[in-house]
Amino acid sequence: MFERFLRVLAASCIGLFFVALPALAQDTMRIRGTVEHIEGPVFVVKTRDGSEVKLTVTDNPLFVVIVPAKMSDIKPGMFVGSAGMMQQDGSQKAIEVHIFPESMRGTGEGHYDWDLLPKSKMTNGSVEQAVTGVDGPVLSVKYKDGEKKLVVTPQTIVVTYEIGKREEVTPGTKIFVAAAKKQPDGTLQTPRITYGRNGAGPAF
């Protein structure tokens, strides 16, 4: 079952989890928010800027739940991603670190602008090594065009993924949608919803 999940997850997520290419960004939008209520097949979501959007899913959608992980789960060679803020020494202070399943290796690889916070960056790559720094563990992450050091602090959120269920996405659930496309009726549609349990939410 788990292997099947990884295959489905990889097929659905590549190119969708982190939409960084300008050509795709012109046609899709990211949604970060909380489900206010559900009207049949429509999720009514209040976004972080206070606006309301109506979200539907495609046929055979993927629901993925964020689950807590630990720094000790991260080993050299793993493929990880992190949103964070650049520091004066060129390192990136990690707001969160997410551990990709092996079948998702290469997803969103690189270092680029992100919209979590003003001037935030996203770095996805392979862990070369982990060392202890002054402010906490430091991950050396290598991607195709370079390498970044990710500083992990006690405030950094570390997560991984599990297959979720549509029924778990209820009013109050915090969600993240990487690639929602506007429909003729004004609603937004996505093939995937990432969400948190028990009041938690995706931090990216």
Side-chain angles (χ1 to χ4, degrees), residues 94-153:
I95 297 171
E96 52 74 42
V97 176
H98 47 267
I99 305 169
F100 286 106
E102 181 59 29
S103 59
M104 287 175 65
R105 178 175 293 275
T107 301
E109 184 175 358
H111 174 74
Y112 40 86
D113 293 339
W114 195 240
D115 60 352
L116 178 62
L117 294 173
K119 298 183 180 180
S120 61
K121 296 286 187 177
M122 178 63 73
T123 302
N124 287 9
S126 297
V127 177
E128 294 288 293
Q129 64 176 343
V131 299
T132 301
V134 175
D135 298 320
V138 179
L139 299 175
S140 293
V141 174
K142 191 171 184 178
Y143 46 92
K144 57 187 176 183
D145 298 320
E147 185 174 348
K148 277 287 176 287
K149 294 188 182 300
L150 306 181
V151 180
V152 182
T153 73

Side-chain angles (χ1 to χ4, degrees), residues 43 55 57 62-64 169 175-177 190-195:
F43 297 93
L55 180 69
V57 292
L62 186 64
F63 290 85
V64 178
V169 182
I175 68 169
F176 171 74
V177 171
T190 180
R192 169 190 168 130
I193 292 178
T194 301
Y195 65 96

Side-chain angles (χ1 to χ4, degrees), residues 47-63:
T47 66
R48 66 176 180 175
D49 65 6
S51 62
E52 185 179 276
V53 298
K54 293 187 175 183
L55 180 69
T56 62
V57 292
T58 58
D59 293 337
N60 301 313
L62 186 64
F63 290 85

Side-chain angles (χ1 to χ4, degrees), residues 155-196:
Q155 290 73 43
T156 301
I157 300 169
V158 182
V159 298
T160 188
Y161 310 100
E162 289 181 359
I163 192 165
K165 299 178 181 179
R166 184 186 185 118
E167 307 84 70
E168 289 189 321
V169 182
T170 58
T173 302
K174 296 178 181 178
I175 68 169
F176 171 74
V177 171
K181 190 170 184 178
K182 193 168 185 178
Q183 303 300 296
D185 63 359
T187 62
L188 296 168
Q189 190 177 71
T190 180
R192 169 190 168 130
I193 292 178
T194 301
Y195 65 96

